[in-house]
Amino acid sequence: MRGIEANALSLAYGEALIIDNLDIKIPKGEITVFIGGNGCGKSTLLRLLARLLKPKSGSILLDGLMLNKMGTKDVAKQLAILPQGPDAPKGLSVLQLVKQGRYPHQNWLKQWSREDEEKVNKALEATQMTEYAEREVDSLSGGQRQRAWIAMVLAQDTDTILLDEPTTYLDMTHQIEILDLLFELNEKEKRTIVMVLHDLNLACRYAHNIVAVQDKKIFAQGKPEEVITCNLVKKVFKMECQITKDPLFGTPLCIPFGKGRCIAEVGASN
Ligand SMILES: Nc1ncnc2c1ncn2[C@@H]1O[C@H](COP(=O)(O)OP(=O)(O)O)[C@@H](O)[C@H]1O
Ligand SMILES: [Mg+2]
């Protein structure tokens, strides 16, 4: 199968089993979004799929090839990952960071090329980071820093892009811009995008395929319309909600219950 396929995957941190005998298929050329409560194992699963972590058991295939048998640079040419809360070395500029995305494409024969330069500039433009190129990553706001890291991942120019909470720290406008950018990369260039998102409603708008992770396993996987139900939200997020339709996109829209003001209360006080 093309895309990513993992079978009987398990991982433990010390004695604590976090991923338990899990099977997953990530379709090629689609956007897959992992959802689930805090600490359920989304980041661990994403890092396993990018080979940043070694499974306790099980296998992962990337386009039919055993991931653990591939060379490091070969993996990096096909798959880029933005981990959760990455740290840049002190004093590193945005440009230097983004240039690191080109590292897998270089060797002693092929030094820095015009193509590398173009990919870096394109990534800076796409994330609106060109004007910050000379700034130190450390000196940026949380949102600008996040965009700098996304630029690095884009510069790597891989068919598969894994992103762990790419919209965290971003204001609403930049959240939508980053998701639109990833959507466009998928639509126009058929890149496979796999990301962790916390916003269930944005996840439903952008995902072809939702993977709900819960209790070391996959609770459900499929199209947002098929997967997102009150029952899923109750089981996976321990929350009561109402599911309606996003008025713009027709995708599922989750309205959480809670103790906020309700219409009756607001009406009574007017
Ligand atoms: N390096 C680590 N060592 C030990 N436990 C970890 C480590 N990383 C994560 N965990 C634990 O594994 C569980 C899953 O973490 P994580 O995959 O980061 O969850 P999520 O991304 O869904 O919030 C959590 O209970 C977390 O505390
Ligand atoms: Mg996480």
Side-chain angles (χ1 to χ4, degrees):
M1 116 136 200
R2 302 211 312 144
I4 306 175
E5 183 174 350
N7 292 306
L9 205 57
S10 294
L11 177 131
Y13 292 120
E15 292 292 296
L17 192 64
I18 304 296
I19 302 289
D20 182 14
N21 198 22
L22 174 156
D23 297 330
I24 187 170
K25 284 192 170 77
I26 310 277
K28 187 135 184 119
E30 291 196 356
I31 300 179
T32 295
V33 176
F34 291 177
I35 58 164
N38 290 135
C40 71
K42 304 177 297 296
S43 296
T44 302
L45 183 56
L46 205 68
R47 290 163 69 84
L48 272 169
L49 299 182
R51 216 178 65 173
L52 296 184
L53 291 172
K54 202 166 170 255
K56 182 174 168 225
S57 56
S59 63
I60 302 171
L61 300 175
L62 176 59
D63 287 341
L65 297 175
M66 296 285 278
L67 192 64
N68 64 353
K69 298 265 159 56
M70 293 171 69
T72 308
K73 272 200 171 178
D74 289 333
V75 174
K77 276 186 206 162
Q78 293 187 46
L79 182 152
I81 179 164
L82 171 68
Q84 190 172 8
D87 252 339
K90 232 181 156 30
L92 197 77
S93 74
V94 170
L95 184 61
Q96 287 168 325
L97 175 72
V98 179
K99 278 183 162 183
Q100 288 192 0
R102 298 305 300 161
Y103 168 73
H105 300 276
Q106 292 168 337
N107 55 48
W108 63 276
L109 269 179
K110 186 179 168 295
Q111 303 293 323
W112 189 256
S113 68
R114 214 162 124 179
E115 189 192 2
D116 294 319
E117 197 75 31
E118 280 168 12
K119 301 278 184 198
V120 165
N121 289 337
K122 203 172 142 201
L124 286 168
E125 274 167 36
T127 50
Q128 296 172 16
M129 287 304 287
T130 310
E131 63 178 296
Y132 302 100
E134 299 306 329
R135 285 270 296 273
E136 282 187 16
V137 178
D138 273 347
S139 74
L140 301 173
S141 75
Q144 292 161 345
R145 205 174 306 159
Q146 184 77 336
R147 275 153 51 213
W149 280 100
I150 293 172
M152 188 199 82
V153 166
L154 295 184
Q156 205 172 321
D157 196 29
T158 54
D159 267 355
T160 302
I161 304 175
L162 274 45
L163 308 105
D164 199 346
E165 298 191 30
T167 54
T168 304
Y169 304 119
L170 301 187
D171 61 39
M172 213 174 2
T173 315
H174 285 111
Q175 282 187 41
I176 298 292
E177 267 169 17
I178 290 295
L179 292 173
D180 280 348
L181 174 67
L182 296 169
F183 180 79
E184 229 177 83
L185 284 171
N186 168 260
E187 283 266 298
K188 290 193 184 148
E189 302 175 14
K190 288 288 156 242
R191 313 259 192 150
T192 306
I193 312 275
V194 187
M195 57 185 158
V196 177
L197 290 180
H198 272 303
D199 187 320
L200 203 52
N201 297 334
L202 287 180
C204 290
R205 269 193 186 185
Y206 286 90
H208 299 108
N209 183 34
I210 294 259
V211 175
V213 183
Q214 196 232 2
D215 196 20
K216 310 180 186 72
K217 300 222 184 264
I218 300 212
F219 180 84
Q221 173 169 5
K223 293 190 180 114
E225 316 67 277
E226 291 165 2
V227 167
I228 301 299
T229 60
C230 292
N231 182 48
L232 176 136
V233 174
K234 194 170 174 174
K235 295 269 166 59
V236 172
F237 294 98
K238 316 280 177 281
M239 187 183 76
E240 298 285 344
C241 76
Q242 189 175 328
I243 303 287
T244 175
K245 265 192 179 184
D246 182 321
L248 292 181
F249 291 82
T251 45
L253 187 75
C254 169
I255 304 178
F257 288 1
K259 293 188 176 160
R261 292 176 304 162
C262 68
I263 292 172
E265 262 178 63
V266 176
S269 63
N270 280 340

